[in-house]
Amino acid sequence: MGKLTRFRFLWPYVLASKLKLFLALSSLTFLSLAALVYPWLLKFMVDQYGGSRSTALSVPALGLALALLLSLAALVGYHCKLYLQVLGYRLRNTLRVHLYWTLLRRSLSFHQHQQVGEISARATEDIAKLQSIFINLLTPLFQNALYILGCIILMSFLNWVATLIVIAVVLPPCVYFYLASAKLQDFSARGQAMHAQANAFFEETLVGIREIKAFAREKRERERYAGILERALATEVESAKLEQKVDQGLLYLFYLILLGIYYVGTTQTIFPDWTLGGVVAFYFYAYTITLALLSSGRLYQTYQGIAGSLDRIAELIEPEDFTRQPRVAGVKRKLLGKVEFKDVSFQYEPRKPVLMNLSFITEPGSWLLITGASGSGKSTIVNLVMRFYEPQSGVVLIDSIPMQDWDISFLRRQVGYVGQEPLLFHGTIKENIFFCQDGVDERQLQESLRIAQLEEFISELPDGLDTMIGERGLTLSGGQRARVAIARAIVFNPTILILDEANAMVEKDLEQEFWAQLANSRKDKTTIILSHHPENIPHRYTTLGLSGVRPQQKSLGERL
């Protein structure tokens, strides 16, 4: 992405506050012009003190003018900087919400190849850098441009020849700084990437904390994490060395320039017509230009960091990166529960087919048991029914309507789903059960608890349904998490219920009663079950046996 075109990505967000931004920039203009007045007023006072009266105003009047200008500038500056800081906070929140919404809409194929910690770093660290774009980048950049332009104009009034000399001396170091900053940008990008890797490693470690403790790998993981941070530190140290070399080198050159101006002004050998006040004012304007150029150089480094963060965020948010997103508009109607595959083929990776020419029909209200060895495609069928993925060929139909013609959100709200590793969210048990749908009444809640065999477990808890569970439900056993997930999936009585190895997670002494209760409550609802152990499942299902990508997948097995 180009150096400036990358910022086009922010225009929609910035323009949303264009009036406030315009007022802030107008205030900055006033503040910059006010700052340029001080050296000129100082010229009047020095000349008047030295006997060269250049204005009809007295020294007390000039001092009062300065005091009034200072007071007004302080008041305007307070409101201006506050507006810009709040605009940065709003930009940060807007980008985070937009990024969050974007990630929720992304397909599972996208998330399959992403590290959660790395994405989290973009949503936190990278976007946090952008919140300072108004106050730490736009404000000083805008003011520095006004300072430099204003100083050059006012210096020209004082002595245009000396002004041309100053410009000619100052420009070469600025070009050098610009060229050196290209290498600083590379260091910045590498450092950000390494810290994102460290964040991804950090989060992955917390997710797998049980396994790390089980294999006593705490020390090893600490060393690996420290190693990533050390590599990032090495890059940052090299960047800091180069940055300080450039900064101090330019500072030295600019101070030599100021020393030259001081010498010229005090000897009066080159410009004998200068008044004392004119020399003092010219020196201050030259000093202001020097500081503005130095500040702009440091701003360029700030820009490099912000630009790198912006690129990393834009990679996730830009809509053209979306691939095969479900359409928002589509069929919205109550499901009957018919599921049909017609010659469906699917592969997660090229030349590694999982399903090939699979066809079957599940009539409304029937139970379908899908069996097969690991890797035979059982969960893939569920992924296609839920439209987590799209088939490479063939068509999946719900109630004889192709999946892509449905409003996907409306469809999914009528499907209950329990995955192989059900995830619970930090919160209460009741909040987790009600996660799937708003407005579930108490009768439906109690019914779901009864079917999922949770009544006794809940009654033994001090806070009952209001008991807090840890992140990802780690405070519950595997069977308890599974039963809460089942209750969550059936609490709204879905037309289609999908259970992926649910019986493998339910305790053996509760499994038979669970299936009996589920069968009794879903006599006229479609239920799809993936299982290696169907012995306790009521014999009312049709079997679909999978055995790899061979043609015998094309028909259902016998009814048991």
Side-chain angles (χ1 to χ4, degrees):
M1 194 178 289
K3 291 183 180 297
L4 294 177
T5 55
R6 56 165 56 94
F7 283 92
R8 292 178 185 172
F9 166 73
L10 287 180
W11 275 120
Y13 306 98
V14 173
L15 291 178
S17 304
K18 56 186 176 184
L19 179 58
K20 289 185 177 180
L21 185 60
F22 172 77
L23 292 174
L25 292 179
S26 300
S27 300
L28 287 176
T29 302
F30 167 76
L31 293 174
S32 301
L33 294 177
L36 293 176
V37 170
Y38 296 140
W40 202 271
L41 291 177
L42 185 62
K43 172 185 179 299
F44 291 156
M45 285 191 291
V46 171
D47 284 343
Q48 188 158 322
Y49 181 80
S52 302
R53 192 175 181 86
S54 55
T55 177
L57 294 175
S58 64
V59 172
L62 289 174
L64 180 61
L66 279 174
L68 291 175
L69 190 63
L70 179 63
S71 301
L72 183 58
L75 182 63
V76 172
Y78 166 77
H79 290 287
C80 175
K81 299 297 177 64
L82 179 62
Y83 278 150
L84 288 169
Q85 201 160 2
V86 172
L87 282 177
Y89 295 151
R90 291 190 183 279
L91 175 66
R92 174 202 63 197
N93 286 1
T94 301
L95 283 173
R96 281 183 175 169
V97 170
H98 194 172
L99 177 60
Y100 183 69
W101 175 234
T102 297
L103 293 173
L104 291 178
R105 293 164 57 207
R106 290 276 193 173
S107 65
L108 283 186
S109 58
F110 166 82
H111 289 283
Q112 183 180 359
H113 298 92
Q114 301 295 323
Q115 287 184 294
V116 174
E118 202 272 340
I119 292 180
S120 177
R122 299 193 194 194
T124 52
E125 293 185 11
D126 287 335
I127 291 182
K129 288 184 178 180
L130 295 184
Q131 81 178 34
S132 64
I133 193 170
F134 295 114
I135 197 71
N136 291 339
L137 184 62
L138 178 62
T139 296
L141 186 63
F142 185 77
Q143 286 192 295
N144 285 344
L146 291 178
Y147 286 150
I148 293 171
L149 179 62
C151 285
I152 289 175
I153 293 174
L154 293 173
M155 287 167 65
S156 299
F157 282 109
L158 294 170
N159 193 310
W160 67 271
V161 176
T163 302
L164 290 177
I165 294 174
V166 170
I167 294 173
V169 175
V170 164
L171 282 179
C174 294
V175 174
Y176 165 74
F177 185 90
Y178 177 82
L179 296 176
S181 293
K183 194 168 184 179
L184 287 172
Q185 180 183 10
D186 178 60
F187 281 130
S188 176
R190 285 164 52 193
Q192 285 177 278
M194 289 180 182
H195 278 291
Q197 182 184 357
N199 287 338
F201 183 89
F202 186 91
E203 187 155 335
E204 185 180 64
T205 299
L206 295 182
V207 172
I209 190 67
R210 288 175 183 255
E211 285 72 13
I212 291 173
K213 288 184 174 295
F215 293 101
R217 305 300 285 175
E218 293 93 339
K219 184 178 180 180
R220 177 177 177 272
E221 295 305 297
R222 183 193 65 82
E223 292 172 351
R224 290 177 63 194
Y225 183 62
I228 297 174
L229 293 179
E230 282 298 319
R231 290 192 292 274
L233 176 62
T235 301
E236 290 167 332
V237 168
E238 291 300 315
S239 177
K241 287 180 180 178
L242 178 59
E243 181 180 337
Q244 292 307 316
K245 286 179 182 177
V246 172
D247 271 4
Q248 296 305 314
L250 290 179
L251 192 62
Y252 176 71
L253 290 174
F254 288 147
Y255 282 163
L256 285 180
I257 294 171
L258 293 175
L259 184 61
I261 295 172
Y262 169 78
Y263 173 78
V264 170
T266 54
T267 59
Q268 292 187 317
T269 55
I270 301 177
F271 304 112
D273 296 332
W274 262 1
T275 65
L276 179 60
V279 173
V280 171
F282 191 92
Y283 183 87
F284 270 97
Y285 285 129
Y287 184 75
T288 301
I289 287 181
T290 300
L291 292 181
L293 288 172
L294 281 174
S295 174
S296 298
R298 296 188 180 99
L299 283 177
Y300 190 73
Q301 298 167 17
T302 303
Y303 158 79
Q304 301 289 12
I306 290 177
S309 295
L310 188 59
D311 287 346
R312 286 161 50 80
I313 296 166
E315 287 176 1
L316 295 179
I317 292 183
E318 285 181 342
E320 55 265 32
D321 285 347
F322 286 13
T323 56
R324 307 185 71 176
Q325 285 299 303
R327 294 184 299 180
V328 175
V331 176
K332 293 183 178 181
R333 77 179 196 193
K334 185 173 177 58
L335 293 184
L336 299 175
K338 181 180 179 181
V339 179
E340 183 177 0
F341 276 46
K342 284 187 177 180
D343 294 321
V344 170
S345 296
F346 178 81
Q347 56 187 15
Y348 294 100
E349 299 177 14
R351 296 183 295 278
K352 293 182 179 180
V354 179
L355 300 177
M356 185 178 292
N357 301 325
L358 175 64
S359 297
F360 68 85
I361 298 176
T362 299
E363 296 296 337
S366 62
W367 281 37
L368 174 65
L369 173 65
I370 304 176
T371 63
S374 297
S376 61
K378 300 190 302 298
S379 295
T380 299
I381 291 177
V382 173
N383 288 335
L384 296 176
V385 172
M386 296 295 296
R387 205 185 176 193
F388 294 152
Y389 296 90
E390 303 277 359
Q392 275 79 36
S393 63
V395 60
V396 179
L397 304 100
I398 304 293
D399 292 350
S400 302
I401 300 173
M403 180 68 77
Q404 60 268 26
D405 292 338
W406 282 93
D407 180 292
I408 192 61
S409 295
F410 191 84
L411 175 68
R412 286 174 179 165
R413 282 194 289 267
Q414 301 181 71
V415 179
Y417 171 69
V418 181
Q420 289 186 23
E421 299 177 359
L423 176 67
L424 301 183
F425 300 92
H426 183 73
T428 66
I429 294 177
K430 187 174 184 178
E431 288 171 342
N432 271 275
I433 294 176
F434 281 1
F435 174 80
C436 59
Q437 190 162 323
D438 299 324
V440 179
D441 61 33
E442 188 66 23
R443 185 191 60 80
Q444 290 174 291
L445 173 62
Q446 294 303 321
E447 178 70 7
S448 67
L449 296 179
R450 184 180 61 80
I451 295 172
Q453 305 297 293
L454 281 170
E455 290 178 310
E456 182 177 352
F457 166 65
I458 297 297
S459 66
E460 294 173 351
L461 297 173
D463 297 322
L465 286 169
D466 294 322
T467 300
M468 294 291 296
I469 60 176
E471 187 176 7
R472 298 182 179 87
L474 291 178
T475 58
L476 304 181
S477 68
Q480 290 165 349
R481 287 199 301 272
R483 283 184 281 144
V484 172
I486 291 169
R488 178 174 64 191
I490 64 177
V491 70
F492 63 99
N493 195 22
T495 304
I496 299 175
L497 175 64
I498 300 173
L499 302 174
D500 192 350
E501 298 290 351
N503 58 330
M505 295 176 285
V506 176
E507 295 89 333
K508 294 301 180 183
D509 58 332
L510 301 174
E511 183 185 354
Q512 190 169 0
E513 181 63 21
F514 159 68
W515 286 116
Q517 294 285 356
L518 186 68
N520 185 58
S521 67
R522 296 189 58 79
K523 293 179 179 178
D524 57 347
K525 303 288 186 180
T526 301
T527 304
I528 300 175
I529 304 167
L530 285 66
S531 178
H532 289 95
H533 307 286
E535 54 271 11
N536 290 321
I537 302 175
H539 292 179
R540 52 166 296 183
Y541 53 78
T542 300
T543 303
L544 173 62
L546 301 181
S547 55
V549 290
R550 292 197 289 271
Q552 59 260 39
Q553 286 185 0
K554 299 181 74 172
S555 62
L556 294 177
E558 297 180 357
R559 183 177 297 274
L560 297 180

